[in-house]
Amino acid sequence: MHIYFSTFITGLSDIIEKELKEKIEDVSIKLIQDTFIIYETSVPKDRITSLRFFNNTFVLVKTFKTIDTSTKAINKIIKETINDQEFFHHLNKNIPKKKNSFRIVISVDNQMVSPDKNVLYKLENKISEKLNMQIHRSLPDVELWYFIRREGNAYFGVRLTTHTEYTKILNKGELHPELANILCYLSEPSKTDIFLDPFAGSGAIPIERAIAFPYNKIIAGDYSIHVIKTLKIKTNKVKKIIEVKKVDALTMSNFKDKTINKIVTDPPWGINIGKELDLEYFYRTMLQEFYRILKINGIIVILIGKKDIFENVLLEFSNQLQLKQQYNILVSGKKAGIYKLRKYI
Ligand SMILES: C[S@@+](CC[C@H](N)C(=O)[O-])C[C@H]1O[C@@H](n2cnc3c(N)ncnc32)[C@H](O)[C@@H]1O
């Protein structure tokens, strides 16, 4: 058995708990707080690192008693680590093979902080000596994290997930894969689905659907020719069959009535090609078209930046679209809502 902790998007505890239990058969959840979960399982580590709905995952090495988040308290837990023999034994067991260098990261409520340098150097030297590893503060093979939370809990873990910083690999406005994964999951994926994202942009949602879930057909649409061109190149690289086509989501002229099972999408947040949108008109026309092309019992999962306008428009559809779930989240620090709707007549 191993104990792990993972971080995830704020506001989504319920759905994370459900998806984790579904994907990892013997999981036992020890603690779940907003953006943070601790759990135990016997499945191989690569099954854990391949869970696509977490931001980051760590194997838990040590838990600290309630602390505050002051530098003094942080120095105290580092000193406590230095003097803990069992800690080094446990750490050694959990360093992945062929990892020769490390650095220590200290995160307080997801912000990096620096402790007293002397205390930190002592710990670095001791880890280096005991585990025969090099200290590499810029490009290490493995990161060792103190993860300290406002609620007063603190953990030390070995980071298992390693992805390049998203600001370097994602296009402007492109959704993080974890969020795309959760949006797709909420739509209750099935292998018979005809799936559509009519505002596909860089394609985060249709690509995630193709990689992580079953489907019959995936259609990625956007009305910008330029976006479509780039998206075609990108989806070809994924080597999954995704039909990319020019779509105007406000007319959907290339879709017949009742032909789509699932729509998962992220419409413009207010401004499109430098022009401010009349969002009330935009949302109303979009929902009319979504309703028209959806099969009965079809599902819409939609990420919305301007929740108040959307919720007012949604009231007009209360006889056609049933609101199944709603989550309040943050996307790049901005408030947003996820809405899951079902067409019921
Ligand atoms: C918020 S972005 C989608 C970002 C996307 N989820 C991603 O990960 O890159 C909205 C997209 O909708 C497109 N768009 C705007 N109005 C549209 C319309 N009427 N029909 C189809 N696409 C439209 C824009 O070109 C833009 O790519």
Side-chain angles (χ1 to χ4, degrees), residues 62-67 77-78 80-81 146 152-156:
K62 184 173 167 70
T63 304
F64 299 89
K65 291 212 184 80
T66 311
I67 67 155
I77 63 169
I78 299 178
E80 184 187 325
T81 318
Y146 281 99
N153 34 347
Y155 308 91
F156 187 99

Side-chain angles (χ1 to χ4, degrees), residues 76-92:
K76 193 166 164 251
I77 63 169
I78 299 178
K79 283 184 190 153
E80 184 187 325
T81 318
I82 297 173
N83 297 319
D84 183 349
Q85 290 310 318
E86 212 180 306
F87 163 81
F88 291 100
H89 174 69
H90 216 68
L91 178 61
N92 203 7

Side-chain angles (χ1 to χ4, degrees), residues 170-176 180 183 197-206 221-225 227-228 231 234 245-252 264-273 277 282 286 303:
L170 298 185
N171 293 322
K172 191 168 176 279
E174 182 172 350
L175 290 187
H176 287 194
L183 295 177
D197 177 359
F199 299 104
S202 305
I205 296 171
D222 202 284
Y223 84 165
S224 153
I225 303 269
V227 168
I228 293 283
L231 190 54
K234 200 165 166 191
K245 60 181 176 190
K246 185 166 164 20
V247 165
D248 181 352
L250 300 191
T251 60
M252 295 282 196
V264 179
T265 200
D266 165 28
W269 285 46
I271 302 211
N272 206 31
I273 328 176
L277 292 171
F282 193 94
M286 172 191 84
L303 178 68

